[in-house]
Amino acid sequence: IICIKIYAVFFTIQTTHAKEENMNWARLSHKLYETVHNGRLSVKELSQTTGIPANTIYRTATGYIENSTGISPSLKNVVDIMAAQKDFRVLQYIANYFGYLVIKLPRVARNKQSGIERVRDLQEYHSLAIQYLLDFERKPSKQGRGNAVKALYLCIEYQTGIIRDLRRNFHQTELAL
């Protein structure tokens, strides 16, 4: 029950953009601009990595702002830029608009812990998340909110890893039969 309440609070915090009636194209454009210009790669490096000409990257980053013709940047270019920069704020904005969350799947090798150890770890992560949520509720702050969100994402990522392992184990068991 506590877990459900935590996630209800978390989803309420994260889905505030879903309440907008119309997609805010200027905000989306700004997210794309930040992805291009504030990422780990310069535009030149981004061009070399993705194979997209630099002038196309510049146009992609400013397409919604400057383009009054209604022509939007290529979805393929946007995806390639996000992947190269490892920055998914555009995807997160779109998901939030529709009331969804973007959660990174853990890319770890199969967890070799026993079931009891994994449950213990999951309980520790939930306890940490609850503590951060309580701290945030007592004294709201930007840092407190950030800590709570990070802790909740950690819980979800860990649970996702467990679910992935369960699916793998089920398919292996099914094949053995």
Side-chain angles (χ1 to χ4, degrees):
I1 295 173
I2 292 172
C3 185
I4 292 169
K5 184 178 178 184
I6 290 171
Y7 290 125
V9 170
F10 177 62
F11 289 121
T12 302
I13 291 170
Q14 287 296 305
T15 58
T16 54
H17 291 116
K19 305 213 183 327
E20 295 176 16
E21 287 187 28
N22 297 312
M23 175 71 78
N24 186 331
W25 295 105
R27 186 176 294 156
L28 180 64
S29 178
H30 183 69
K31 301 281 184 198
L32 186 54
Y33 182 88
E34 288 176 337
T35 299
V36 169
H37 294 289
N38 298 338
R40 62 187 190 92
L41 301 174
S42 68
V43 173
K44 184 178 179 181
E45 293 168 325
L46 195 54
S47 176
Q48 292 168 346
T49 302
T50 62
I52 302 170
N55 62 345
T56 302
I57 293 173
Y58 282 116
R59 280 197 317 265
T60 298
T62 58
Y64 290 115
I65 296 170
E66 296 176 357
N67 194 341
S68 60
T69 64
I71 298 170
S72 57
S74 158
L75 181 59
K76 182 188 179 323
N77 289 349
V78 172
V79 169
D80 289 346
I81 289 167
M82 286 190 307
Q85 292 286 44
K86 296 188 184 345
D87 182 336
F88 301 96
R89 67 182 88 198
V90 172
L91 179 62
Q92 194 144 25
Y93 177 77
I94 293 169
N96 285 346
Y97 174 77
F98 289 105
Y100 290 88
L101 293 173
V102 175
I103 297 175
K104 183 179 181 194
L105 292 174
R107 297 195 183 268
V108 293
R110 182 172 289 145
N111 193 325
K112 304 216 187 297
Q113 289 180 305
S114 72
I116 293 172
E117 291 170 327
R118 293 178 83 179
V119 170
R120 181 202 63 218
D121 288 350
L122 187 56
Q123 284 179 323
E124 287 178 12
Y125 294 147
H126 278 104
S127 295
L128 180 66
I130 290 168
Q131 186 58 51
Y132 281 132
L133 281 168
L134 291 172
D135 291 346
F136 176 67
E137 197 171 276
R138 283 186 206 117
K139 187 178 176 187
S141 68
K142 190 173 184 175
Q143 181 181 2
R145 180 187 181 279
N147 289 339
V149 169
K150 285 178 187 173
L152 288 167
Y153 268 115
L154 181 64
C155 291
I156 294 170
E157 287 176 11
Y158 196 79
Q159 286 174 309
T160 304
I162 291 172
I163 292 168
R164 181 184 284 169
D165 285 349
L166 287 172
R167 285 184 181 149
R168 284 181 187 157
N169 291 341
F170 178 76
H171 289 299
Q172 289 176 354
T173 305
E174 209 174 43
L175 291 174
L177 297 175

